[in-house]
Amino acid sequence: MNRPEGLSVEVSGGEGVLPAEREVLERISAEELVELTRALVMARGENPPGQEAATVEVLAGAAEERGFPCDRSMVEPGRDNVDITLEAGDGPGLLLLGHTDVVPVGDGWTVDPFGAVVRDDRIFGRGTTDMKGGIAACLVAMTALRDAGAPLAGPVQLAAVVDEEAADVGIRHWTKRLGERAGGGTRPPYRGCVVAEPTDLQTIIAARGASYVEIRVTGQAAHAGNPADGRNAIYGAARVVAELERWHEQYAAHAHPLVGPRTWNVGTIGGGTGGSIVPAECRITVDRRLLPGESPALVLEETRERLGRLGLADRGLGLEVEMTMDMPGFETAAEDGFVRCVDGALGAVGGPGLPLAGWTAACDGGFVARDHGVPTVVLGPGSVSEQAHRADESVGIDELVVAARAYALTAMRLLART
């Protein structure tokens, strides 16, 4: 294993860095980021089935070693959300948001997926990019702010939630608790939220949401020797699939300028019990991507209405449509002061200089934006398209350094005492 020796990332560019800011940024080291990222990756666990516990223990332990208050909240047995806070002034703070679950390992690995091997200035392993590296960058940034005594008008909080890769029970639990603590107040508790998901160090100001739609077509079983005696559910399901494909193609002409169009994707289909039996049931699982601000309830209503016009009832078939999961999208205006602060900080610490952009993926930040009115961006180390959910997932050490410094500088500028 090759460990980084004195890896340095220049703090330059952008709007310039003040001496007090530079003192904080220079406390962020590649060595500390590598050590913490590796420890998180080596904490084995996959979701499904929901094995975040080992990662939560490592993260909470690292926070407590650094002297940060750590609030754990049980979402489900063995599955805790973790809030780590750098206490500061009594004004609204900065929220850093991440998730502790990773997708299943899968096949095709050439390295131990939980070995956290360091090679060619990259760390390899499941979750390095999505998104244990981002979480490590957040905690290291908070440590540098604390150690340098940075004067902040509000706290910096890292919320690390469970189950982002499945049903989002973690962020739902977290945002409900936040609402209860706020007591129904209308003032946003944070001046902004940075979701530390992998974006190739590009500031993302809009993201699509996601929903899962379960469709069940029911018919009547009969002997295949006389199919007319039955009602073929698979034939009905085929009509549904064809209609969803047509609908998907229609959406392509009405794309959002940053995140693209709404989409349908039929992911699974299954039905029937044997070739000689008219199938009495067929189930379809569909992914429906949502535009920022789009209502899942209205999407479900529209889907039921459109599929209801296929005339399946006239063929003696039943149709049930349910939405089993929904995650909201979000959009923050490019001219918003929080966006300018984050992107300026990124440029000042040597970011790649990419333009503000949208994301076709979904993330937990949509809940924070929708439920609490907090300006939200996504910014993190690694690539969601080239590394996340793949064999031999990895993240560049230099990206971790830039991300951590961008988070720290964002906090200093956003929460500067006046």
Side-chain angles (χ1 to χ4, degrees):
M1 180 185 75
N2 297 322
R3 293 190 62 84
E5 296 294 340
L7 180 65
S8 175
V9 176
E10 292 297 324
V11 183
S12 61
E15 300 175 9
V17 177
L18 300 174
E21 295 172 337
R22 185 176 296 276
E23 180 184 352
V24 172
L25 302 183
E26 289 178 348
R27 291 177 179 270
I28 294 171
S29 71
E31 290 77 11
E32 183 180 7
L33 284 161
V34 169
E35 179 182 4
L36 181 53
T37 300
R38 293 189 70 239
L40 292 169
V41 171
M42 288 188 287
R44 292 174 174 266
E46 300 166 280
N47 187 32
Q51 301 168 330
E52 300 96 342
T55 300
V56 169
E57 290 297 333
V58 170
L59 179 60
E64 290 164 357
E65 288 174 4
R66 289 165 169 78
F68 289 114
C70 187
D71 176 31
R72 296 174 58 157
S73 174
M74 187 178 74
V75 179
E76 295 176 348
R79 308 183 78 184
D80 290 355
N81 285 345
V82 182
D83 285 304
I84 301 164
T85 304
L86 169 59
E87 302 286 0
D90 57 5
L94 170 65
L95 176 65
L96 304 174
L97 180 62
H99 61 85
T100 51
D101 60 329
V102 299
V103 296
V105 168
D107 300 323
W109 288 77
T110 64
V111 296
D112 180 354
F114 297 111
V117 171
V118 179
R119 185 175 63 212
D120 300 326
D121 293 329
R122 301 186 69 84
I123 310 171
F124 289 79
R126 176 56 83 221
T128 47
T129 278
D130 189 14
M131 58 169 294
K132 293 179 177 181
I135 289 175
C138 291
L139 186 55
V140 169
M142 292 167 63
T143 304
L145 289 164
R146 192 272 315 279
D147 290 350
L152 304 177
V156 180
Q157 179 182 339
L158 168 59
V161 302
V162 300
D163 201 48
E164 191 271 351
E165 300 287 5
D168 293 299
V169 298
I171 189 63
R172 293 175 191 276
H173 177 90
W174 185 90
T175 194
K176 180 181 178 181
R177 286 189 75 213
L178 178 61
E180 292 170 349
R181 292 195 298 269
T186 58
R187 183 185 183 190
Y190 306 101
R191 295 191 62 188
C193 170
V194 178
V195 187
E197 293 268 17
T199 67
D200 291 301
L201 295 174
Q202 182 173 28
T203 304
I204 300 299
I205 61 172
R208 285 193 301 194
S211 65
Y212 297 155
V213 178
E214 298 285 344
I215 301 170
R216 179 173 178 254
V217 180
T218 55
Q220 181 179 328
H223 194 288
N226 192 7
D229 290 343
R231 301 291 182 267
N232 194 309
I234 291 179
Y235 288 165
R239 288 197 170 194
V240 170
V241 170
E243 184 66 14
L244 293 175
E245 185 177 18
R246 281 191 291 270
W247 206 352
H248 171 80
E249 291 169 352
Q250 291 167 4
Y251 279 150
H254 304 282
H256 184 282
L258 289 175
V259 303
R262 304 167 176 87
T263 59
W264 284 105
N265 179 70
V266 175
T268 68
I269 185 168
T273 55
S276 63
I277 304 171
V278 175
E281 180 181 82
C282 188
R283 292 181 176 270
I284 308 165
T285 303
V286 192
D287 180 297
R288 167 61 155 81
R289 294 288 152 153
L290 307 169
L291 293 188
E294 192 172 16
S295 165
L298 291 179
V299 169
L300 178 59
E301 179 182 345
E302 184 181 25
T303 303
R304 286 172 171 165
E305 180 181 349
R306 179 155 175 164
L307 297 184
R309 295 199 298 265
L310 293 176
L312 300 188
D314 297 338
R315 301 173 58 137
L317 298 171
L319 176 67
E320 300 172 9
V321 182
E322 300 294 338
M323 186 173 287
T324 58
M325 188 282 294
D326 64 271
M327 173 187 286
F330 75 88
E331 182 174 7
T332 305
E335 62 272 16
D336 188 282
F338 179 62
V339 171
R340 294 198 301 270
C341 178
V342 173
D343 202 52
L346 176 63
V349 299
L354 299 172
L356 301 176
W359 220 28
T360 57
C363 70
D364 283 343
F367 289 95
V368 178
R370 182 193 67 183
D371 297 347
H372 301 289
V374 177
T376 299
V377 302
V378 191
L379 171 65
S383 171
V384 71
S385 60
E386 297 181 5
Q387 294 295 335
H389 299 197
R390 293 172 178 253
D392 289 351
E393 179 182 352
S394 68
V395 68
I397 297 169
D398 58 343
E399 295 177 71
L400 295 175
V401 175
V402 172
R405 289 178 172 173
Y407 301 152
L409 189 55
T410 293
M412 294 190 73
R413 293 180 174 180
L414 183 71
L415 307 178
R417 289 179 178 172
T418 56

Short mmCIF file of all heavy atoms in Angstrom, two decimals, residues 4-57:
data_model
loop_
_atom_site.label_atom_id
_atom_site.label_comp_id
_atom_site.label_asym_id
_atom_site.label_seq_id
_atom_site.Cartn_x
_atom_site.Cartn_y
_atom_site.Cartn_z
N PRO A 4 0.12 8.47 1.09
CA PRO A 4 0.54 9.77 0.58
C PRO A 4 1.56 10.40 1.51
O PRO A 4 1.40 10.41 2.72
CB PRO A 4 -0.76 10.59 0.58
CG PRO A 4 -1.61 9.93 1.63
CD PRO A 4 -1.25 8.47 1.59
N GLU A 5 2.60 10.91 0.95
CA GLU A 5 3.65 11.56 1.74
C GLU A 5 3.67 13.04 1.38
O GLU A 5 4.07 13.43 0.29
CB GLU A 5 5.02 10.92 1.45
CG GLU A 5 5.12 9.46 1.86
CD GLU A 5 5.04 9.27 3.37
OE1 GLU A 5 5.29 10.26 4.11
OE2 GLU A 5 4.75 8.16 3.81
N GLY A 6 3.21 13.87 2.32
CA GLY A 6 3.28 15.31 2.12
C GLY A 6 2.50 15.81 0.94
O GLY A 6 2.88 16.79 0.32
N LEU A 7 1.39 15.13 0.61
CA LEU A 7 0.57 15.59 -0.50
C LEU A 7 0.08 17.00 -0.23
O LEU A 7 -0.41 17.31 0.84
CB LEU A 7 -0.63 14.65 -0.68
CG LEU A 7 -1.60 15.00 -1.81
CD1 LEU A 7 -0.92 14.86 -3.15
CD2 LEU A 7 -2.82 14.11 -1.74
N SER A 8 0.21 17.87 -1.20
CA SER A 8 -0.16 19.27 -1.01
C SER A 8 -1.10 19.70 -2.10
O SER A 8 -0.93 19.36 -3.26
CB SER A 8 1.09 20.15 -1.03
OG SER A 8 0.75 21.51 -0.96
N VAL A 9 -2.13 20.46 -1.72
CA VAL A 9 -3.04 21.08 -2.67
C VAL A 9 -2.97 22.58 -2.45
O VAL A 9 -3.18 23.07 -1.35
CB VAL A 9 -4.49 20.58 -2.46
CG1 VAL A 9 -5.42 21.32 -3.40
CG2 VAL A 9 -4.56 19.08 -2.70
N GLU A 10 -2.64 23.31 -3.49
CA GLU A 10 -2.47 24.74 -3.36
C GLU A 10 -3.79 25.43 -3.01
O GLU A 10 -4.84 25.08 -3.53
CB GLU A 10 -1.93 25.33 -4.68
CG GLU A 10 -0.50 24.90 -4.99
CD GLU A 10 0.49 25.39 -3.95
OE1 GLU A 10 0.30 26.52 -3.45
OE2 GLU A 10 1.44 24.67 -3.65
N VAL A 11 -3.73 26.42 -2.15
CA VAL A 11 -4.88 27.25 -1.82
C VAL A 11 -4.73 28.52 -2.63
O VAL A 11 -4.02 29.44 -2.24
CB VAL A 11 -4.93 27.56 -0.31
CG1 VAL A 11 -6.16 28.37 0.01
CG2 VAL A 11 -4.90 26.28 0.49
N SER A 12 -5.38 28.55 -3.77
CA SER A 12 -5.19 29.70 -4.65
C SER A 12 -6.41 29.87 -5.54
O SER A 12 -7.30 29.04 -5.58
CB SER A 12 -3.95 29.49 -5.52
OG SER A 12 -4.10 28.34 -6.33
N GLY A 13 -6.44 30.98 -6.28
CA GLY A 13 -7.49 31.22 -7.26
C GLY A 13 -8.70 31.87 -6.63
O GLY A 13 -8.70 32.33 -5.49
N GLY A 14 -9.82 31.90 -7.39
CA GLY A 14 -11.08 32.40 -6.89
C GLY A 14 -10.97 33.85 -6.44
O GLY A 14 -10.28 34.68 -7.03
N GLU A 15 -11.64 34.17 -5.35
CA GLU A 15 -11.69 35.54 -4.85
C GLU A 15 -10.52 35.85 -3.92
O GLU A 15 -10.47 36.93 -3.34
CB GLU A 15 -13.02 35.75 -4.12
CG GLU A 15 -14.24 35.51 -5.00
CD GLU A 15 -15.54 35.61 -4.23
OE1 GLU A 15 -15.51 36.03 -3.06
OE2 GLU A 15 -16.58 35.27 -4.79
N GLY A 16 -9.59 34.94 -3.75
CA GLY A 16 -8.49 35.16 -2.85
C GLY A 16 -8.81 34.69 -1.45
O GLY A 16 -9.97 34.56 -1.07
N VAL A 17 -7.79 34.39 -0.70
CA VAL A 17 -7.95 33.84 0.65
C VAL A 17 -7.27 34.77 1.63
O VAL A 17 -6.09 35.11 1.48
CB VAL A 17 -7.33 32.42 0.71
CG1 VAL A 17 -7.42 31.88 2.13
CG2 VAL A 17 -8.02 31.49 -0.26
N LEU A 18 -7.99 35.18 2.67
CA LEU A 18 -7.45 36.04 3.70
C LEU A 18 -6.52 35.26 4.63
O LEU A 18 -6.64 34.03 4.72
CB LEU A 18 -8.58 36.67 4.51
CG LEU A 18 -9.58 37.54 3.72
CD1 LEU A 18 -10.72 37.97 4.64
CD2 LEU A 18 -8.87 38.73 3.11
N PRO A 19 -5.62 35.93 5.32
CA PRO A 19 -4.70 35.21 6.21
C PRO A 19 -5.42 34.35 7.24
O PRO A 19 -4.99 33.22 7.52
CB PRO A 19 -3.91 36.35 6.87
CG PRO A 19 -3.93 37.44 5.85
CD PRO A 19 -5.26 37.37 5.19
N ALA A 20 -6.50 34.85 7.85
CA ALA A 20 -7.22 34.05 8.85
C ALA A 20 -7.84 32.82 8.22
O ALA A 20 -7.92 31.75 8.83
CB ALA A 20 -8.30 34.91 9.52
N GLU A 21 -8.30 32.94 6.98
CA GLU A 21 -8.86 31.80 6.26
C GLU A 21 -7.77 30.79 5.92
O GLU A 21 -7.96 29.58 6.07
CB GLU A 21 -9.55 32.28 4.99
CG GLU A 21 -10.76 33.17 5.24
CD GLU A 21 -11.33 33.79 3.98
OE1 GLU A 21 -10.58 33.91 2.98
OE2 GLU A 21 -12.51 34.18 4.00
N ARG A 22 -6.63 31.31 5.50
CA ARG A 22 -5.53 30.42 5.14
C ARG A 22 -5.07 29.60 6.35
O ARG A 22 -4.73 28.42 6.21
CB ARG A 22 -4.36 31.23 4.59
CG ARG A 22 -3.19 30.39 4.07
CD ARG A 22 -2.13 31.27 3.45
NE ARG A 22 -2.63 31.94 2.27
CZ ARG A 22 -2.66 31.41 1.05
NH1 ARG A 22 -2.24 30.16 0.88
NH2 ARG A 22 -3.12 32.09 0.03
N GLU A 23 -5.11 30.17 7.52
CA GLU A 23 -4.71 29.45 8.73
C GLU A 23 -5.61 28.22 8.93
O GLU A 23 -5.12 27.15 9.31
CB GLU A 23 -4.80 30.36 9.95
CG GLU A 23 -4.40 29.67 11.25
CD GLU A 23 -4.58 30.54 12.47
OE1 GLU A 23 -4.87 31.75 12.31
OE2 GLU A 23 -4.44 30.02 13.59
N VAL A 24 -6.88 28.37 8.68
CA VAL A 24 -7.79 27.23 8.80
C VAL A 24 -7.51 26.20 7.71
O VAL A 24 -7.38 25.00 7.98
CB VAL A 24 -9.27 27.70 8.71
CG1 VAL A 24 -10.21 26.50 8.65
CG2 VAL A 24 -9.62 28.58 9.89
N LEU A 25 -7.39 26.65 6.48
CA LEU A 25 -7.22 25.73 5.36
C LEU A 25 -5.95 24.91 5.46
O LEU A 25 -5.92 23.74 5.08
CB LEU A 25 -7.24 26.51 4.04
CG LEU A 25 -8.52 27.34 3.78
CD1 LEU A 25 -8.43 28.01 2.42
CD2 LEU A 25 -9.77 26.49 3.88
N GLU A 26 -4.89 25.52 5.98
CA GLU A 26 -3.62 24.81 6.07
C GLU A 26 -3.64 23.73 7.16
O GLU A 26 -2.73 22.90 7.22
CB GLU A 26 -2.49 25.80 6.29
CG GLU A 26 -2.21 26.63 5.02
CD GLU A 26 -1.12 27.66 5.22
OE1 GLU A 26 -0.73 27.90 6.40
OE2 GLU A 26 -0.66 28.23 4.21
N ARG A 27 -4.65 23.76 8.01
CA ARG A 27 -4.79 22.69 9.02
C ARG A 27 -5.40 21.42 8.43
O ARG A 27 -5.43 20.38 9.10
CB ARG A 27 -5.65 23.18 10.19
CG ARG A 27 -4.98 24.25 11.04
CD ARG A 27 -5.92 24.76 12.13
NE ARG A 27 -5.28 25.77 12.96
CZ ARG A 27 -4.59 25.51 14.07
NH1 ARG A 27 -4.46 24.25 14.48
NH2 ARG A 27 -4.02 26.48 14.76
N ILE A 28 -5.92 21.50 7.23
CA ILE A 28 -6.54 20.34 6.59
C ILE A 28 -5.47 19.56 5.85
O ILE A 28 -4.88 20.05 4.89
CB ILE A 28 -7.65 20.80 5.64
CG1 ILE A 28 -8.79 21.44 6.45
CG2 ILE A 28 -8.18 19.63 4.81
CD1 ILE A 28 -9.86 22.11 5.61
N SER A 29 -5.22 18.33 6.30
CA SER A 29 -4.13 17.54 5.73
C SER A 29 -4.66 16.31 5.00
O SER A 29 -5.68 15.73 5.38
CB SER A 29 -3.16 17.09 6.82
OG SER A 29 -3.75 16.09 7.64
N ALA A 30 -3.94 15.93 3.96
CA ALA A 30 -4.28 14.71 3.24
C ALA A 30 -4.17 13.50 4.15
O ALA A 30 -4.99 12.57 4.06
CB ALA A 30 -3.34 14.55 2.04
N GLU A 31 -3.19 13.48 5.03
CA GLU A 31 -2.99 12.32 5.90
C GLU A 31 -4.21 12.07 6.78
O GLU A 31 -4.67 10.92 6.93
CB GLU A 31 -1.74 12.52 6.76
CG GLU A 31 -0.42 12.45 5.99
CD GLU A 31 -0.13 13.72 5.21
OE1 GLU A 31 -0.81 14.74 5.39
OE2 GLU A 31 0.81 13.69 4.38
N GLU A 32 -4.76 13.13 7.37
CA GLU A 32 -5.93 12.96 8.24
C GLU A 32 -7.13 12.50 7.43
O GLU A 32 -7.91 11.65 7.87
CB GLU A 32 -6.24 14.27 8.96
CG GLU A 32 -7.41 14.14 9.95
CD GLU A 32 -7.71 15.44 10.67
OE1 GLU A 32 -7.12 16.48 10.32
OE2 GLU A 32 -8.57 15.40 11.58
N LEU A 33 -7.29 13.05 6.23
CA LEU A 33 -8.42 12.66 5.38
C LEU A 33 -8.31 11.20 4.95
O LEU A 33 -9.31 10.47 4.95
CB LEU A 33 -8.47 13.57 4.15
CG LEU A 33 -9.03 14.97 4.41
CD1 LEU A 33 -8.63 15.92 3.30
CD2 LEU A 33 -10.54 14.91 4.55
N VAL A 34 -7.12 10.77 4.60
CA VAL A 34 -6.92 9.37 4.21
C VAL A 34 -7.23 8.44 5.38
O VAL A 34 -7.93 7.43 5.23
CB VAL A 34 -5.49 9.15 3.69
CG1 VAL A 34 -5.19 7.65 3.55
CG2 VAL A 34 -5.29 9.86 2.36
N GLU A 35 -6.71 8.78 6.54
CA GLU A 35 -6.91 7.93 7.71
C GLU A 35 -8.40 7.76 8.03
O GLU A 35 -8.88 6.65 8.27
CB GLU A 35 -6.18 8.51 8.92
CG GLU A 35 -6.35 7.70 10.19
CD GLU A 35 -5.65 8.32 11.38
OE1 GLU A 35 -5.10 9.43 11.24
OE2 GLU A 35 -5.65 7.69 12.46
N LEU A 36 -9.15 8.87 8.03
CA LEU A 36 -10.56 8.80 8.39
C LEU A 36 -11.37 8.13 7.29
O LEU A 36 -12.25 7.29 7.58
CB LEU A 36 -11.09 10.21 8.66
CG LEU A 36 -12.57 10.29 9.08
CD1 LEU A 36 -12.87 9.38 10.27
CD2 LEU A 36 -12.95 11.74 9.40
N THR A 37 -11.10 8.44 6.03
CA THR A 37 -11.83 7.79 4.94
C THR A 37 -11.61 6.29 4.96
O THR A 37 -12.55 5.49 4.80
CB THR A 37 -11.39 8.37 3.58
OG1 THR A 37 -11.66 9.78 3.55
CG2 THR A 37 -12.14 7.70 2.44
N ARG A 38 -10.37 5.87 5.16
CA ARG A 38 -10.07 4.44 5.20
C ARG A 38 -10.81 3.76 6.36
O ARG A 38 -11.35 2.66 6.21
CB ARG A 38 -8.57 4.19 5.32
CG ARG A 38 -7.77 4.63 4.10
CD ARG A 38 -6.31 4.16 4.19
NE ARG A 38 -6.23 2.71 4.03
CZ ARG A 38 -5.71 1.89 4.92
NH1 ARG A 38 -5.23 2.38 6.07
NH2 ARG A 38 -5.65 0.60 4.68
N ALA A 39 -10.82 4.41 7.51
CA ALA A 39 -11.51 3.81 8.67
C ALA A 39 -13.00 3.64 8.38
O ALA A 39 -13.61 2.62 8.73
CB ALA A 39 -11.30 4.69 9.90
N LEU A 40 -13.62 4.62 7.73
CA LEU A 40 -15.04 4.52 7.39
C LEU A 40 -15.29 3.42 6.37
O LEU A 40 -16.27 2.67 6.47
CB LEU A 40 -15.54 5.86 6.87
CG LEU A 40 -15.59 7.01 7.89
CD1 LEU A 40 -15.85 8.34 7.19
CD2 LEU A 40 -16.66 6.75 8.94
N VAL A 41 -14.43 3.32 5.38
CA VAL A 41 -14.61 2.30 4.34
C VAL A 41 -14.43 0.90 4.90
O VAL A 41 -15.16 -0.04 4.54
CB VAL A 41 -13.63 2.54 3.17
CG1 VAL A 41 -13.64 1.37 2.18
CG2 VAL A 41 -13.99 3.85 2.45
N MET A 42 -13.48 0.73 5.81
CA MET A 42 -13.24 -0.59 6.40
C MET A 42 -14.34 -1.02 7.36
O MET A 42 -14.38 -2.17 7.78
CB MET A 42 -11.87 -0.61 7.09
CG MET A 42 -10.71 -0.59 6.09
SD MET A 42 -9.07 -0.84 6.87
CE MET A 42 -8.85 0.75 7.66
N ALA A 43 -15.22 -0.10 7.72
CA ALA A 43 -16.40 -0.45 8.53
C ALA A 43 -17.42 -1.10 7.59
O ALA A 43 -18.17 -0.43 6.90
CB ALA A 43 -16.98 0.80 9.19
N ARG A 44 -17.41 -2.41 7.56
CA ARG A 44 -18.20 -3.15 6.57
C ARG A 44 -19.70 -2.93 6.76
O ARG A 44 -20.18 -2.75 7.87
CB ARG A 44 -17.90 -4.64 6.67
CG ARG A 44 -16.49 -5.00 6.23
CD ARG A 44 -16.18 -6.46 6.47
NE ARG A 44 -14.88 -6.82 5.93
CZ ARG A 44 -14.67 -7.32 4.73
NH1 ARG A 44 -15.70 -7.57 3.95
NH2 ARG A 44 -13.46 -7.59 4.30
N GLY A 45 -20.42 -2.98 5.66
CA GLY A 45 -21.86 -2.86 5.71
C GLY A 45 -22.42 -2.47 4.36
O GLY A 45 -21.78 -1.73 3.60
N GLU A 46 -23.62 -2.97 4.04
CA GLU A 46 -24.26 -2.68 2.76
C GLU A 46 -25.75 -2.39 3.00
O GLU A 46 -26.32 -2.82 3.99
CB GLU A 46 -24.11 -3.88 1.81
CG GLU A 46 -22.66 -4.24 1.50
CD GLU A 46 -22.53 -5.62 0.86
OE1 GLU A 46 -22.58 -6.62 1.61
OE2 GLU A 46 -22.43 -5.69 -0.37
N ASN A 47 -26.35 -1.69 2.06
CA ASN A 47 -27.78 -1.40 2.12
C ASN A 47 -28.39 -1.49 0.72
O ASN A 47 -28.00 -0.72 -0.16
CB ASN A 47 -28.02 0.00 2.68
CG ASN A 47 -29.49 0.28 2.92
OD1 ASN A 47 -30.25 -0.63 3.24
ND2 ASN A 47 -29.90 1.51 2.73
N PRO A 48 -29.38 -2.40 0.49
CA PRO A 48 -29.87 -3.32 1.50
C PRO A 48 -28.80 -4.35 1.90
O PRO A 48 -27.88 -4.57 1.12
CB PRO A 48 -31.08 -3.98 0.81
CG PRO A 48 -30.84 -3.80 -0.65
CD PRO A 48 -30.05 -2.54 -0.81
N PRO A 49 -28.97 -4.87 3.15
CA PRO A 49 -30.15 -4.87 4.01
C PRO A 49 -30.18 -3.79 5.08
O PRO A 49 -31.08 -3.80 5.92
CB PRO A 49 -30.06 -6.24 4.67
CG PRO A 49 -28.59 -6.50 4.81
CD PRO A 49 -27.95 -5.87 3.61
N GLY A 50 -29.25 -2.87 5.12
CA GLY A 50 -29.30 -1.81 6.13
C GLY A 50 -28.29 -2.03 7.24
O GLY A 50 -28.64 -2.12 8.41
N GLN A 51 -27.00 -2.05 6.86
CA GLN A 51 -25.94 -2.39 7.81
C GLN A 51 -25.03 -1.19 8.08
O GLN A 51 -23.82 -1.27 7.95
CB GLN A 51 -25.12 -3.55 7.25
CG GLN A 51 -25.93 -4.81 7.00
CD GLN A 51 -25.17 -5.85 6.19
OE1 GLN A 51 -24.32 -5.50 5.37
NE2 GLN A 51 -25.48 -7.11 6.41
N GLU A 52 -25.63 -0.06 8.45
CA GLU A 52 -24.83 1.14 8.69
C GLU A 52 -24.15 1.17 10.04
O GLU A 52 -23.32 2.06 10.29
CB GLU A 52 -25.72 2.39 8.57
CG GLU A 52 -26.40 2.58 7.24
CD GLU A 52 -27.82 2.03 7.23
OE1 GLU A 52 -28.15 1.21 8.12
OE2 GLU A 52 -28.58 2.41 6.33
N ALA A 53 -24.48 0.24 10.95
CA ALA A 53 -24.07 0.36 12.35
C ALA A 53 -22.57 0.51 12.52
O ALA A 53 -22.10 1.34 13.31
CB ALA A 53 -24.59 -0.84 13.15
N ALA A 54 -21.77 -0.29 11.80
CA ALA A 54 -20.32 -0.22 11.96
C ALA A 54 -19.78 1.14 11.53
O ALA A 54 -18.90 1.71 12.18
CB ALA A 54 -19.66 -1.35 11.17
N THR A 55 -20.30 1.66 10.43
CA THR A 55 -19.86 2.97 9.96
C THR A 55 -20.24 4.06 10.95
O THR A 55 -19.45 4.98 11.22
CB THR A 55 -20.49 3.28 8.59
OG1 THR A 55 -20.07 2.28 7.65
CG2 THR A 55 -20.06 4.65 8.08
N VAL A 56 -21.45 3.96 11.51
CA VAL A 56 -21.89 4.95 12.50
C VAL A 56 -20.98 4.93 13.72
O VAL A 56 -20.62 5.99 14.26
CB VAL A 56 -23.35 4.68 12.89
CG1 VAL A 56 -23.75 5.50 14.11
CG2 VAL A 56 -24.28 4.99 11.72
N GLU A 57 -20.57 3.74 14.15
CA GLU A 57 -19.68 3.64 15.31
C GLU A 57 -18.35 4.32 15.02
O GLU A 57 -17.80 5.05 15.87
CB GLU A 57 -19.45 2.18 15.68
CG GLU A 57 -20.67 1.48 16.27
CD GLU A 57 -21.12 2.09 17.58
OE1 GLU A 57 -20.28 2.67 18.31
OE2 GLU A 57 -22.33 2.00 17.88
#
